[in-house]
Each structure stands twice: as C-alpha cells, then as structure tokens.
Amino acid sequence: MQVQMQVLWLDRGDTRELEQVGDAELPLLATLARGASLALGAAEASFWLVLRGELDIAARAGAFRLGAGQWIHFDRGAHPLLHAGERTVAVGLVLPAALQMRLLRSPQLALFPGRGSATGLARRLLARRWRAVLGRPGRGMQATPADRWQVERLLRALAGLQQGQQALIARCPGRSLSHRRQVYARMQRALQYIEGHTHRVVRIGELAELSSMSVWYFTKTFRAVYGECPQATSVRLRLASSARLIRDTPLSITEVGAASGFENNCSFSRAFRTHFGVSPSLYRSGAQALSTDPANPMDRACGAVA
C-alpha cells in the first residue's frame, strides 16, 4: 500500500485549528513543541507519541495527560484539542477517515483506539522514523515522492506498538476477522472513554450507546475481551488516578476522593484500602509505595507493549 503524506510543524506557542486535513487521502505528520496547540476536526483519526515533556489532550473521549514515551490513538469523531508543555516535543499522525478505513483493512498497518507506552528502544526507533520523513522544520506541507517508503516504515512501526492486541481481537465475537476487528475497535473506544473520565462514575448505558450495542451484549463482550466487567475497570482506573493525585498534588484525601468520583470519604478510603492494601493517608505519608500505572487490561492480557 503506497502512501504519501503532508507535514505540519507547530512550535513556540503556535496555534492551529484543522477542521479537515488538506488532502482527504493523505496522512498529515505533525510535530507539537514548546507550548504549541492543535485542534482537529471530528472527521480525522490521530496517533500521538510524546518524545519529551507532557502533552495535555481534551477530547470527546475525555481528558488525558501523556508523559514521555506514552502514546494514544483516537478514532475519528474524537475531536481532540492538544496542548504541548513548554518543554514538550510530541509527534503525531493525523488520518483522514477514508485513509483510516484503508489502514484498518491492512493486516500490517491497522491502528485501533487506545493508549500505551513505548520502550526506550521503540521510542528511539519511532523518533528516527519521524525524522526521516519530516526532515528539517518548515520544509512545507507537501512531501516529496522519495518519502513514501519512509512513511510506510513509520506506519508499520506505529502498528507494531499495538501488536499485542491480536490476542484480544481473537476474543471478540464474529465469524470473520474483519468483523472481530470492528467489534474490538468499539471495545477500545469504550475503554478509552473510561480512561478519559476517571473523575466520575461512567454508566454502562453510556458505554453501550457509544459502542452501538445493547447493555447486555456490551457487558458480555467487554468481559470476554478484557477479562473484567466495565464497572471493575472504571473503579480500578479511578483508584489508580486517585493514587497519583495523592502522590503528586496537595489535595486533601477527601478532595482526592471527590475528584476520583467517589461519593464520600468513607467509600473512597475503603475502596483504596481494598485495592492497594493500604489506606490513602498511610500512602501519602510515604510508608508504602504503590504502582499507580492504570494497567490497561490489554497490557495485563498481552504483556507490556514494546
């Protein structure tokens, strides 16, 4: 599958709003650095990797903060607004809807909604792939034909970050691989929505509607794919978020519980102790360290993504 591309470089506070990528058949490779911001239209899908610093994202799927080495892929309809920190360098691939559908049909280049972390080796490889395509800043919006092979190599490297998902796709219902992939993409959108709303309880009805499924069928499929029900995933991710708030902010324990969607301090403290084996106040005192990684069900089922 031969691919050309377009290039966008935003740096030092640059701001850009793209309702539609210039060419509806070509991907756009973007770099956001040092306070730059980018708003994307609803029609495009996008993949983002943070090379340095932190990237804040507000999307229909929720709010996300990515650190160095972390990546996220939004399906079309996400309408993300991205803002790079003052020392941040992040790279992204914006995919028009028609191109995304073509990639989803490719066994080697398919990208699904989700997030994860790249190892140091994978991050360096991806950085080289991006540099090979982008060249120097300000080169312009249109790539030369010589870049086509480099773009395909980059797409393969990005798809490689999600290679562990094949085992989860196999758990999805459907007689054909194409149908199972469609179901898996819906499950990943639901999981991403839960990850983006760790400040509140997400209702099953919201997730079922997002996935265009009945509540019963959605719950059954989610459990089959990830090995736990949506409610358990929501609680686990909200508790992981609360632990990070306790560790990194001056919020009181009561404020942390409220910010994590718990009705009162008693229910929050009880859930925290049950999950982590230590009370929130004892954790804040530094008496015991915790792993506060949200531990995506994909990672637990397939191992760390390389």
Side-chain angles (χ1 to χ4, degrees), residues 20 39 43 48 64 93 105 125 157 181 219 241 270 281 298 306:
Q20 183 175 348
W48 300 93
F64 305 86
L93 181 69
R105 291 192 291 267
L125 172 63
R181 283 183 165 191
T219 304
S241 175
R270 183 168 56 250
S281 57
M298 177 185 73

Side-chain angles (χ1 to χ4, degrees), residues 12 29 86-87 109 162 227:
R12 298 184 185 276
L29 269 73
E86 291 302 319
R87 301 186 63 187
L109 304 180
Q162 299 187 337

Side-chain angles (χ1 to χ4, degrees), residues 246 253 268-269 272-273 278-287:
I246 292 173
I253 300 300
F268 169 59
S269 296
F272 194 97
R273 183 189 292 273
V278 61
S279 68
S281 57
L282 191 59
Y283 171 56
R284 167 157 281 172
S285 71

Side-chain angles (χ1 to χ4, degrees), residues 55-305:
L55 182 67
D56 289 311
I57 306 173
R60 288 178 179 171
F64 305 86
R65 170 167 288 184
L66 274 60
Q70 295 183 322
W71 58 264
I72 192 167
H73 177 54
F74 292 108
D75 204 353
R76 63 185 184 277
H79 213 308
L81 171 62
L82 307 104
H83 178 72
E86 291 302 319
R87 301 186 63 187
T88 298
V89 177
V91 287
L93 181 69
V94 182
L95 304 170
L99 178 59
Q100 185 194 24
M101 295 305 298
R102 287 168 56 198
L103 294 179
L104 282 175
R105 291 192 291 267
S106 169
Q108 295 82 24
L109 304 180
L111 293 171
F112 299 94
R115 63 182 295 186
S117 299
T119 63
L121 178 61
R123 200 190 324 173
R124 290 191 293 272
L125 172 63
L126 285 166
R128 287 198 298 270
R129 294 281 185 266
W130 246 286
R131 284 195 294 268
V133 174
L134 290 172
R136 60 180 177 82
R139 186 176 64 178
M141 289 292 294
Q142 185 64 43
T144 65
D147 290 321
R148 295 176 184 176
W149 170 239
Q150 297 291 358
V151 175
E152 290 220 15
R153 294 178 72 192
L154 173 59
L155 288 169
R156 289 177 184 274
L158 294 178
L161 291 174
Q162 299 187 337
Q163 61 185 356
Q165 297 185 78
Q166 298 306 315
L168 299 185
I169 293 173
R171 299 179 187 177
C172 293
R175 295 185 178 181
S176 67
L177 177 59
S178 174
H179 186 266
R180 288 194 295 272
R181 283 183 165 191
Q182 292 176 18
V183 172
Y184 181 66
R186 295 183 187 184
M187 293 298 102
Q188 283 293 103
R189 281 197 294 270
L191 176 59
Q192 189 175 71
Y193 191 85
I194 297 173
E195 291 175 326
H197 291 82
T198 55
H199 63 287
R200 66 175 179 88
V201 177
V202 177
R203 295 183 295 106
I204 300 297
E206 292 179 71
L207 300 173
E209 182 178 358
L210 179 67
S211 306
S212 301
M213 296 178 177
S214 69
V215 170
W216 176 84
Y217 191 71
F218 168 77
T219 304
K220 176 184 176 182
T221 304
F222 191 97
R223 183 189 289 274
V225 174
Y226 300 118
E228 65 181 4
C229 66
Q231 298 96 322
T233 300
S234 177
V235 171
R236 179 173 51 77
L237 294 178
R238 286 189 289 123
L239 287 171
S241 175
S242 72
R244 291 193 297 275
L245 290 175
I246 292 173
R247 182 191 64 197
D248 299 335
T249 73
L251 294 174
S252 69
I253 300 300
T254 300
E255 290 171 327
V256 168
S260 303
F262 290 89
E263 293 183 357
N264 54 64
N265 190 47
C266 290
S267 63
F268 169 59
S269 296
R270 183 168 56 250
F272 194 97
R273 183 189 292 273
T274 299
H275 187 74
F276 292 116
V278 61
S279 68
S281 57
L282 191 59
Y283 171 56
R284 167 157 281 172
S285 71
Q288 184 170 342
L290 304 177
S291 171
T292 57
D293 186 349
N296 189 311
M298 177 185 73
D299 298 336
R300 295 207 314 279
C302 304
V305 180

